[in-house]
Amino acid sequence: MAQSMRDPLFWAALDVANADIPGVGDYCLRCHTPQGWLDGRVSKTTIGTLVDGADGCLLEGQHDAAYYMSPNDYGGVTCHFCHRLTETGPNGEIAPPGSGNFWLDDNATCENSQGTQPGPCRYGPYDYGAGDTRLPPGGHTWKYSSFHDRGSVCGVCHDVTTPITSNGPAKTLILADGSDTGIPMPLERTFSEWRHSAYADVIFRNRMGDDFGFTPQLERGATCQDCHMANSPDPLATACNQNDPGSRAGNLPVHEFVGGNTWVPPMIRDLYALNIGDTTADALDRTVDLARHMLSERSATVETSATVSAPGQLGITVKVTNLAGHKLPTGYAEGRRMWLHVVVRDGANNILWQNGYWNPATGELSEDAQTRVYETLRASGTRPPRPATSSTGRAASSSTSCSTTASPRTTAFRRWASLAVRTWRSARSAWPIRRLRRVRQPWPTTMSSPTTRHCPAASAAR
C-alpha cells in the first residue's frame, strides 16, 4: 500500500486509462494517493476549483523522497487515511460501496471510551477501555471501529466499477452476443468475490489459526485481514514506535498486506529504497518472501496424476484447488494472469516435454492450444475453449472458457510490462524510468524502449 504510487505498472495503466477516457485518472488516484487527491492536486482543490492533475503531474514530492519527508504524495496509502475512514458520514450517510467512495473523519474532537480527546479520531479494531492491559498507539487519539474489524474497510478500494458520469456509466457491461446490458462495467471485484464465498461464512472461524482477541471470529468468518494482516509472532511487537517493545506481543495484526506480487517490489527496492532510507529495502525483500509463502502455501493446491495411455504416450491430469478467499487470480484484470507450467522429466532430470513455459529473459509466455491460462480479458467476443493440458497433444478434457479476446489496450499493456521485465533484469541499477511521468498522449501500439515520463513546465523542479 505504501508503494501504490511507485509501481511502474500502475503508471503505465494510468496512461492507458487516461488515453481511453481523458481525465479518468482522477478515479484511479483517489485510492492510490488519497493524500494528493484530498489535498486538491488531482481534479478538485480544497476550495472546489478544478485542476488538471489526472495524469499525476500536479502531485507533490518524489518517488524516492526520504520516508520522513512531508508532504509526499508518492507515499501511497498512508496510516492516517485508513485509520480515519468511517463507515458512514457525519449524519449517518452511506457512501456507495467500493470505487474509492469513502467518508473521512475530520472532526476537531474525538469521543472514545475515555471521554473527549483532541481529534480527529484514529479508528481501529480495539477499545482500550478501563482494565485493558494493552497499550494504545501513542501520539494520537484512538477510537474503536467495527468497520476496521471487517473486510468492508478493504472493499472501499478493492471493489471497482466504471466511473458514473453525468452522462451515465463510462463503460457498460456488453454480453458475448454484443447486447448492451446498461450495467456499469465491473472492473475489479475482489471484495465482492470474498463476500460471496464460503470464506465469508462463520463456519470458517479461526481458519488460519490467527485468533486476534477482538471481535470473535465466529461472528465474522474469515476476513481479508485474517490472510493479509496475519498476527505478528515477534515477542517485541508494538502498536507504535512510541510504545515499549513487547507491549503488543501476541496481539498485533501486521500491516504488511501480503499479496501475490514478487517482482514489482524488487523493482521499487532497486529504484528508490536507497534514498527512501529507514528499513525500506529489507521490508521489500521480506514482502517478496512472504508473497512467495502465500502463493505456495496458502493460495492453491496443485495435484497431478499421470497414466500411460499407449506406448510412448503419457496422459497428465492437473487439478488446481483455490484456497484463497476470492478468485485466483483476482484484482486488476490486465495485470493478473496465472497459468500451469507442466514439465515431464526423465530419470536423469532431463526435460522431455513442457507446456506453459515463461521465459524470464524475455518476459514472454509460451502458449499453444493446450496451455491453461486463468485470467479475465476485457473485450467483446469470446475465446474458443482451451483444451486441458496433455503431454501427447491430445486433449485430456475440454471446458468452456469465460475469458474474452484481448483488446488493444491489454495487448499494449502486456507489451510494456514484458519490456519492463527485460529492461529491469538487464540493467537493474540504471532503470530508464526515473521520473515515471510523461506528457498525456495516446498509448503507443509499439514501443522500442520504456520512455521517461515528463510533465509540462515546472514538473522538473519537483
Side-chain angles (χ1 to χ4, degrees):
M1 294 174 73
Q3 315 304 332
S4 61
M5 286 301 292
R6 297 187 179 106
D7 183 348
L9 297 189
F10 166 72
W11 285 98
L14 184 68
D15 271 359
V16 169
N18 280 318
D20 279 354
I21 306 176
V24 78
D26 161 47
Y27 191 71
C28 310
L29 292 170
R30 68 171 67 178
C31 273
H32 278 258
T33 177
Q35 174 178 291
W37 192 81
L38 290 167
D39 282 352
R41 292 184 284 275
V42 175
S43 65
K44 185 181 291 186
T45 68
T46 55
I47 61 173
T49 56
L50 299 179
V51 296
D52 187 16
D55 55 4
C57 283
L58 300 183
L59 298 178
E60 291 187 0
Q62 296 284 351
H63 296 86
D64 59 351
Y67 71 94
Y68 52 81
M69 296 298 292
S70 181
N72 184 21
D73 297 337
Y74 298 92
V77 183
T78 64
C79 311
H80 289 292
F81 173 70
C82 284
H83 287 280
R84 285 174 58 185
L85 288 173
T86 61
E87 191 166 16
T88 59
N91 298 311
E93 304 95 331
I94 302 295
S99 298
N101 296 308
F102 56 81
W103 290 101
L104 205 69
D105 189 336
D106 201 27
N107 292 315
T109 59
C110 177
E111 299 285 341
N112 62 20
S113 59
Q114 294 185 354
T116 302
Q117 310 288 335
C121 292
R122 300 326 192 258
Y123 296 91
Y126 298 94
D127 186 358
Y128 304 95
D132 196 327
T133 59
R134 295 171 300 199
L135 287 176
H140 55 72
T141 306
W142 53 267
K143 186 172 183 177
Y144 170 74
S145 164
S146 63
F147 184 46
H148 289 73
D149 205 10
R150 309 193 311 273
S152 303
V153 71
C154 306
V156 168
C157 283
H158 289 279
D159 256 14
V160 182
T161 303
T162 189
I164 307 299
T165 71
S166 57
N167 297 320
K171 299 288 184 180
T172 54
L173 184 62
I174 309 297
L175 299 181
D177 62 6
S179 59
D180 189 339
T181 67
I183 299 172
M185 181 68 182
L187 303 180
E188 300 176 26
R189 283 294 181 266
T190 302
F191 173 67
S192 290
E193 289 163 11
W194 166 81
R195 190 161 51 90
H196 291 95
S197 75
Y199 286 69
D201 195 295
V202 296
I203 197 171
F204 277 86
R205 181 176 186 266
N206 201 21
R207 175 177 59 87
M208 293 296 181
D210 298 324
D211 198 342
F212 296 147
F214 36 91
T215 303
Q217 300 272 21
L218 185 58
E219 296 180 10
R220 63 188 185 125
T223 68
C224 312
Q225 294 93 320
D226 292 330
C227 284
H228 298 284
M229 297 180 65
N231 207 17
S232 171
D234 190 348
L236 301 179
T238 63
C240 176
N241 59 12
Q242 299 184 39
N243 295 144
D244 294 333
S247 58
R248 291 294 290 276
N251 192 3
L252 185 72
V254 178
H255 288 54
E256 290 183 304
F257 303 104
V258 179
N261 203 327
T262 61
W263 66 272
V264 168
M267 284 188 193
I268 297 172
R269 177 199 62 205
D270 294 346
L271 286 167
Y272 309 125
L274 180 63
N275 289 339
I276 294 172
D278 196 24
T279 58
T280 300
D282 292 339
L284 289 167
D285 286 338
R286 186 169 64 253
T287 294
V288 172
D289 291 340
L290 292 172
R292 286 185 176 135
H293 174 78
M294 174 167 281
L295 289 170
S296 61
E297 303 294 332
R298 301 176 66 171
S299 296
T301 59
V302 181
E303 303 172 63
T304 60
S305 60
T307 58
V308 177
S309 53
Q313 292 186 336
L314 188 67
I316 301 174
T317 300
V318 181
K319 178 183 178 181
V320 180
T321 303
N322 181 9
L323 300 181
H326 44 66
K327 290 183 179 180
L328 190 66
T330 188
Y332 176 61
E334 281 90 354
R336 304 285 188 268
R337 188 162 51 152
M338 188 176 77
W339 64 90
L340 294 181
H341 180 200
V342 183
V343 181
V344 178
R345 299 177 183 269
D346 61 17
N349 207 35
N350 298 310
I351 295 177
L352 300 178
W353 177 91
Q354 64 178 321
N355 186 273
Y357 171 72
W358 181 74
N359 189 332
T362 64
E364 299 292 336
L365 175 65
S366 175
E367 295 186 66
D368 60 25
Q370 299 182 93
T371 310
R372 300 299 293 178
V373 178
Y374 302 89
E375 61 185 336
T376 300
L377 301 178
R378 311 291 190 193
S380 61
T382 57
R383 167 183 286 174
R386 295 177 186 266
T389 306
S390 166
S391 64
T392 62
R394 59 180 178 80
S397 62
S398 62
S399 60
T400 301
S401 172
C402 64
S403 299
T404 55
T405 304
S407 66
R409 181 178 71 171
T410 301
T411 302
F413 177 78
R414 286 185 178 163
R415 185 181 298 113
W416 192 99
S418 174
L419 185 58
V421 174
R422 298 197 300 272
T423 305
W424 175 67
R425 288 180 180 275
S426 63
R428 290 171 59 178
S429 62
W431 182 264
I433 309 177
R434 284 299 295 180
R435 293 293 293 171
L436 290 176
R437 292 175 172 173
R438 135 172 185 237
V439 176
R440 186 183 300 157
Q441 57 185 329
W443 185 248
T445 56
T446 60
M447 197 178 285
S448 59
S449 63
T451 57
T452 303
R453 295 178 58 89
H454 294 290
C455 288
S459 65
R462 293 197 185 99

